[in-house]
Amino acid sequence: MKHLLSIADLSVEEIHSILNLAEEMHDVQSRPVKKLPALRGRTVVNLFFEDSTRTRSSFELAAKWLSADAINVSAKGSSVSKGESMRDTLLTLDAMGVDAIVMRHAGSGAVRQAAGWVRASMINAGDGMHEHPTQALLDAHAIRRHLARNGLGTIDGKRVSITGDLIHSRVVRSNVLLLKKLGASVVLVAPPTLLPPGVETWGVDVSHELDPVLPDVDVAMMLRVQRERMLGGYFPSEREYIDAYGLTAGRLAKLKEGACIAHPGPMNRGLEISSAAADSAGSIVLDQVSSGVAVRMSVLYHLLAGEEQ
Amino acid sequence: MEQAPRTVMTADEMTWTLTRMAHEILERNHGSAGVILLGILTRGAPLAARLAEIAAEQGHTLPVGNLDITMYRDDLRAHPTRPVGRTVLPGPVDDAVVVLVDDVLYSGRTVQAALHALADLGRPRAIQLAALVDRGLRELPIQADVVGRQVPTARDERVRVAVREIDGEDLVTIERTSL
C-alpha cells in the first residue's frame, strides 16, 4: 500500500490487516510506555485545508506514538492564505522530504489528484463530499470491538442503518463501501432531499422512515445534521426532523437487544441523537473516538513501515 | 544449487532437549518463583508453552506469554510491510525474571529488539535467554543462558525449526542456499 485514498482501493485482506493491527495498537495505549519505534525517522505532515480537531489530533498522536515526527499545516496562517495553490503547497512539502501527507480538502477527489503530484504517501483525511476512509475504518473497528465484547460474532451478515444528512456526508460513502466489503448489509435512512444522487447504484437499501428500520439493525449509525443545512430547505424544521429521524429516547426501545449506536461526531445532542441514546449502554460513540488513534497508527504502519515502493 | 536439508534434531531429540532446557531454567533460578516465560513470535511461542508444560510436570508453574518484536526490528524498512503479532503478558513484567524463548539464536538482532520491546513493557528484575538452536555468527554481544543445541553454521546455510503446533511436525534441519 502506497496511499490511502479510498476504501474502494482496499482489498478485504488489507482491511482485515489494518483492523487486526489496530486491535494490537489499542493495547499499546494502556501500556506504561505508549511509544513504538516502528516509524522512527519518518515524517508525517497533517495538511488540513478544512478545520478538524479529532481527525487531525488523532493522526498527530498516531504518528507520535509510532515515533514518527509530525507537523501540522493548516490553511489558516500558512502560505495557502497568501494565495499559494494547492499544488504548490504540496510540492513544497514534498520537496522537504516528508514521508506521508495526511490531507483534508473541500474538493472531492483532491487527495487522489495530489497523490499524482508527490513522492510522499498520501492519506485521505476527508475530501469534500467524497470519502473519509480512516473514519470508516475506525467505525468498523469500534463495531467489531462491540460485537466481540458481547459475543455477537463478526460484521459479516450484520445489518447497519446510516441515518442523517447523507447527501453532504463523506463518511457515508466510505462506510457503505467498507461495511459491504466486510459482508454487512446497509440501509440508508433520510428524507429524499438528503439522499445522495445515484444512491440506487450503491447496492444498499433506502428508507425514508427510521421507525420500521430500527428493529432489524445491529448497528444504528447516526450522522450529524448540520443546522445550517436547514437554510437550504433540505428539511422544514428541527422539530420535524427529530420527529421523523432523530434517535430519541422513545425510539431507543425499538432497537433489538445487543444493538449498538454509533455516531462519528461531533454530535448535535437533541437533534439527530438524544442524550438518552448517546449515553446509553449500547452507545459506542466514545469507543469510536478511542479507536481513532489505534486505527490511524495501523494505517501509518501499513503505509510507512516497509521498504520504499 | 540447493542441497537436500540435513536433519539436526529429530522430534524425539527436540523433546529431550526441551526437557533439559526446562530443567536448566528451573535450576538456574532455584525454582519457578517470580519467573515468567516469554516466547518470541512466531516459533518461540509454542516452545515457551512446552517448556512450561515440562516444568509443570515437575510441579513448577511458569506463566507463559508471547512477545511480538516486529515494530522493534532494525530492518523494518528493508522488507515489505511485516504483519504484526500479538504480545500477551501473563502478568506484569516488573520485578519478574523474564526468560525470553526463541527457536534460533543467530545474529542477535531479534534478541536486541526483544530487549527494547521488553523495556517498554516494564522493568524486569532480570532477563534471560533460552534458545533451542544456537547457530553462532553473532553480530551483537548477546549470548543465551540456556541453549538446546549448538550448531555451527555458515552464513549461506539456513536453519529451519519446525514445531508441531505450527508446522505439523517437530524437526530441525539445515540446508545450504545459494543465491
Side-chain angles (χ1 to χ4, degrees):
Chain A
M1 255 186 280
K2 166 78 177 171
H3 306 292
L4 178 61
L5 306 175
S6 162
I7 295 293
D9 301 336
L10 297 177
S11 69
V12 175
E13 290 71 34
E14 286 170 328
I15 292 166
H16 281 298
S17 179
I18 291 171
L19 296 180
N20 290 342
L21 179 59
E23 204 64 49
E24 308 308 314
M25 296 302 96
H26 247 283
D27 293 349
V28 172
Q29 291 176 36
S30 55
R31 287 187 191 173
V33 177
K34 291 187 176 64
K35 241 174 157 67
L36 290 164
L39 298 186
R40 205 171 46 193
R42 303 259 168 156
T43 305
V44 177
V45 178
N46 285 320
L47 176 60
F48 278 66
F49 293 93
E50 277 188 290
D51 293 337
S52 160
T53 306
R54 66 188 76 206
T55 303
R56 203 198 58 202
S57 55
S58 64
F59 263 115
E60 185 175 354
L61 268 184
K64 286 179 169 166
W65 285 356
L66 287 172
S67 303
D69 294 299
I71 61 168
N72 295 311
V73 178
S74 60
K76 261 180 232 141
S78 72
S79 38
V80 174
S81 59
K82 297 178 189 165
E84 188 178 63
S85 72
M86 177 180 107
R87 184 165 188 270
D88 284 332
T89 305
L90 281 156
L91 291 179
T92 302
L93 292 169
D94 203 45
M96 290 175 187
V98 303
D99 298 290
I101 300 174
V102 178
M103 179 168 144
R104 170 170 290 187
H105 195 280
S108 303
V111 186
R112 188 177 293 278
Q113 190 176 29
W117 295 331
V118 298
R119 183 199 43 79
S121 290
M122 292 298 305
I123 298 172
N124 184 356
D127 60 331
M129 299 181 222
H130 176 232
E131 276 217 50
H132 191 354
T134 58
Q135 179 68 45
L137 286 164
L138 74 88
D139 290 344
H141 179 66
I143 293 168
R144 249 174 50 145
R145 284 172 69 87
H146 167 84
L147 295 173
R149 248 194 328 267
N150 294 285
L152 297 170
T154 66
I155 289 176
D156 191 18
K158 297 292 186 292
R159 187 152 178 86
V160 182
S161 65
I162 307 179
T163 308
D165 179 1
L166 308 181
I167 193 169
H168 300 99
S169 171
R170 49 195 170 214
V171 175
V172 69
R173 279 170 182 77
S174 293
N175 259 308
V176 166
L177 286 167
L178 183 58
L179 289 165
K180 283 182 61 193
K181 284 189 185 212
L182 294 177
S185 69
V186 180
V187 52
L188 302 182
V189 185
T193 50
L194 288 177
L195 279 171
V199 70
E200 59 278 358
T201 64
W202 288 16
V204 295
D205 298 319
V206 174
S207 170
H208 299 317
E209 290 178 82
L210 183 57
D211 286 315
V213 166
L214 285 178
D216 294 327
V217 300
D218 301 283
V219 182
M221 187 180 294
M222 311 305 293
L223 300 187
R224 188 163 76 102
V225 172
Q226 299 173 29
R227 289 174 198 265
E228 56 270 26
R229 299 283 182 224
M230 268 188 305
L231 301 173
Y234 290 98
F235 50 92
S237 73
E238 269 187 28
R239 170 64 61 88
E240 284 198 37
Y241 185 87
I242 296 166
D243 281 350
Y245 300 104
L247 192 56
T248 56
R251 287 210 169 91
L252 206 50
K254 290 193 160 71
L255 284 168
K256 68 181 176 193
E257 173 108 22
C260 68
I261 298 157
H263 192 305
M267 293 188 283
N268 288 316
R269 281 173 187 262
L271 184 49
E272 74 269 3
I273 189 167
S274 62
S275 280
D279 303 330
S280 70
S283 168
I284 59 166
V285 173
L286 289 177
D287 299 301
Q288 288 172 279
V289 179
S290 70
S291 298
V293 179
V295 165
R296 287 170 178 126
M297 285 173 83
S298 177
V299 166
L300 289 173
Y301 177 83
H302 278 84
L303 296 186
L304 296 181
E307 64 189 336
E308 297 270 348
Q309 274 109 340
Chain B
M1 201 188 86
E2 298 234 351
Q3 286 179 351
R6 175 163 61 84
T7 298
V8 177
M9 199 184 281
T10 63
D12 278 343
E13 287 170 329
M14 194 187 287
T15 303
W16 302 331
T17 301
L18 286 169
T19 305
R20 176 175 53 75
M21 290 171 73
H23 287 219
E24 268 189 58
I25 289 168
L26 293 174
E27 182 188 8
R28 62 179 294 122
N29 293 299
H30 308 288
S32 56
V35 181
I36 65 175
L37 301 179
L38 284 186
I40 298 174
L41 292 174
T42 309
R43 282 175 182 69
L47 294 178
R50 279 202 237 168
L51 290 171
E53 278 172 32
I54 296 162
E57 289 165 15
Q58 299 292 316
H60 284 279
T61 305
L62 291 173
V64 187
N66 300 329
L67 189 63
D68 182 87
I69 55 115
T70 309
M71 294 222 174
Y72 294 85
R73 299 186 73 99
D74 60 6
D75 60 351
L76 254 187
R77 288 167 96 153
H79 298 276
T81 308
R82 291 167 180 271
V84 177
R86 159 149 281 195
T87 292
V88 179
L89 298 179
V93 298
D94 289 323
D95 297 322
V97 173
V98 174
V99 181
L100 294 171
V101 181
D102 205 0
D103 53 349
V104 179
L105 177 57
Y106 178 24
S107 65
R109 289 177 192 272
T110 299
V111 177
Q112 182 190 35
L115 293 173
H116 288 148
L118 212 39
D120 283 355
L121 294 170
R123 186 182 182 282
R125 184 157 66 76
I127 303 174
Q128 299 169 2
L129 175 62
L132 182 67
V133 174
D134 178 357
R135 61 169 292 187
L137 301 172
R138 215 79 77 235
E139 295 165 5
L140 297 169
I142 282 172
Q143 296 303 331
D145 301 281
V146 176
V147 177
R149 175 87 55 98
Q150 303 267 5
V151 182
T153 59
R155 283 186 197 282
D156 62 353
E157 287 176 317
R158 184 153 74 180
V159 175
R160 200 191 287 269
V161 173
V163 293
R164 59 172 185 265
E165 293 88 340
I166 296 169
D167 311 289
E169 60 172 350
D170 287 342
L171 188 67
V172 181
T173 56
I174 182 166
E175 62 193 303
R176 183 153 309 226
T177 57
S178 54
L179 299 173

